[in-house]
Amino acid sequence: YPVDNHPFPVGHLSSHIRLKERLATGKFGCVYIGEDAETDQRVAVKVFPPQERGSWLVEQELYSLPEMSHPNILCFIGADQCGQGPDLRLWLVTEYHPLGSAHDYLAGHTVSWIQLLDLAESLSRGLAFLHESSSEKPAIAHRDIKSRNVLIRSDLSCCIADLGLAKKFFQGESIGDVHPQVGTRRYMSPEVLEGAMSFYKDSFLRVDVYSLGLVLWEMLTRCTDAYGAEGVPAYRLPFEAETGSSNPSLSQMQAAVVIERRRPEFPAECQSHQGLSYLRETICCCWDHVPEARLTAACVAERCKALRRLPVS
Ligand code: ADE
């Protein structure tokens, strides 16, 4: 079995879990609701085809690292394989969150100022945890932070999912062979879009913080306190307005983000709400053109926490 410390024998999980409806289709495979035949407990099962074995291995290896459990990281249950030859399917089983991804949740719901802080602080805490290193845990760059890869728990806290592109950095170890231009075009930082990224751990972490800024912006634009009597407008993805496209090309993204240095716009009412204007400033520090000028995820989480102490207007 590819992972030494794996608690289950091959076939253990897949023989107990029945796949139900499909939740999402991703780059490397599809995610289904799975139901344990005996307990009726629901789980999420990401099913990879055999040619995506590499991503399946990377993802389960990261989830299985010591000290990887955190309330704001998707909880890993186990990996398994079933079928043979061309029918081989590789499973990654995690906790199931019925509210779905931040993208789906925000598209269908608005949030209050306090709920916005819950979302923003928990997401930043999750990313800060990934980025942090200890004697047990390497620093991890996610490399595909976007609202579709963030799941919403029933208490409106976030957990970060999809570690298939993530990269770990052990202290003193060289970075090795990494493809710098990965992730989702819409969420790529200027240095990634330009192909001008340096290969240091901190550069990878700063790329994540840039995309964190975009997801925080998506959250902010769904907050009822950010709008006046006209109400909250329909949900839009970052750069949907700027590029006029629901699927912008690399050159459209380069033109908007690198050449014109555009960033998503904030609702005008932000100005008159102390908390929102401070959060807006924090978001702008996440997506600064200069990577070194960006905040760390831990600092973003602390700023969100401080915002809770503001009197509610
Ligand atoms: N979509 C992708 N993964 C999911 C999960 N674990 N729970 C709910 N929806 C998901």
Side-chain angles (χ1 to χ4, degrees):
Y1 204 75
V3 173
D4 291 343
N5 61 356
H6 209 278
F8 305 108
V10 173
H12 176 94
L13 280 168
S14 57
S15 63
H16 283 72
I17 295 168
R18 279 190 310 253
L19 297 187
K20 315 287 266 193
E21 75 189 81
R22 184 153 75 191
L23 287 171
T25 308
K27 265 197 275 281
F28 305 121
C30 296
V31 182
Y32 297 85
I33 298 183
E35 207 170 72
D36 188 305
E38 280 160 27
T39 63
D40 285 345
Q41 190 203 347
R42 292 184 138 198
V43 291
V45 184
K46 185 150 138 191
V47 181
F48 300 73
Q51 62 273 22
E52 297 299 346
R53 188 179 185 83
S55 339
W56 175 71
L57 283 171
V58 167
E59 200 162 359
Q60 63 171 300
E61 190 206 335
L62 285 162
Y63 278 125
S64 313
L65 285 169
E67 299 208 357
M68 260 304 274
S69 83
H70 186 275
N72 307 120
I73 303 295
L74 179 61
C75 178
F76 177 61
I77 297 174
D80 202 358
Q81 33 191 315
C82 58
Q84 280 181 341
D87 296 329
L88 176 71
R89 290 294 175 269
L90 305 164
W91 283 27
L92 199 106
V93 184
T94 62
E95 220 169 40
Y96 167 61
H97 296 294
L99 293 182
S101 72
H103 171 269
D104 297 343
Y105 186 81
L106 294 170
H109 302 80
T110 60
V111 295
S112 67
W113 166 241
I114 292 300
Q115 288 172 330
L116 171 60
L117 287 182
D118 290 340
L119 292 169
E121 185 180 348
S122 58
L123 171 59
S124 320
R125 292 250 177 253
L127 190 62
F129 170 79
L130 270 188
H131 285 179
E132 179 183 292
S133 60
S134 68
S135 54
E136 299 292 324
K137 181 193 160 294
I140 297 168
H142 185 282
R143 304 208 297 160
D144 199 15
I145 292 290
K146 55 176 172 177
S147 53
R148 282 197 167 89
N149 285 344
V150 173
L151 298 174
I152 306 292
R153 295 178 182 281
S154 37
D155 64 355
L156 281 207
S157 63
C158 296
C159 58
I160 297 176
D162 210 329
L163 300 181
L165 286 175
K167 175 96 197 107
K168 57 187 194 310
F169 299 92
F170 280 107
Q171 234 130 34
E173 217 175 71
S174 79
I175 290 181
D177 195 18
V178 274
H179 191 302
Q181 208 171 47
V182 299
T184 305
R185 282 194 296 270
R186 183 185 298 284
Y187 290 88
M188 280 179 184
S189 66
E191 66 275 20
V192 171
L193 285 167
E194 269 189 303
M197 212 193 130
S198 59
F199 285 74
Y200 297 106
K201 177 191 86 176
D202 286 348
S203 327
F204 287 90
L205 306 188
R206 288 166 184 151
V207 165
D208 278 351
V209 169
Y210 171 89
S211 347
L212 168 70
L214 294 177
V215 180
L216 296 177
W217 172 86
E218 290 175 68
M219 293 170 171
L220 185 151
T221 60
R222 299 298 287 157
C223 177
T224 45
D225 296 67
Y227 302 90
E230 80 278 19
V232 182
Y235 166 81
R236 297 194 90 174
L237 280 161
F239 296 111
E240 204 175 318
E242 288 71 14
T243 60
S245 168
S246 60
N247 184 24
S249 66
L250 196 61
S251 57
Q252 278 178 307
M253 288 305 300
Q254 286 165 334
V257 174
V258 183
I259 298 168
E260 296 160 30
R261 298 203 181 189
R262 296 180 76 179
R263 296 294 183 271
E265 280 174 18
F266 289 90
E269 295 271 326
C270 272
Q271 237 93 323
S272 51
H273 183 292
Q274 199 186 354
L276 282 168
S277 56
Y278 192 66
L279 185 59
R280 168 192 171 150
E281 218 175 277
T282 300
I283 293 172
C284 292
C285 294
C286 288
W287 66 35
D288 200 289
H289 193 82
V290 179
E292 293 75 16
R294 293 175 201 150
L295 296 171
T296 62
C299 180
V300 176
E302 284 309 303
R303 286 193 177 196
C304 294
K305 183 178 164 192
L307 283 176
R308 291 182 190 279
R309 293 195 293 267
L310 284 181
V312 178
S313 50

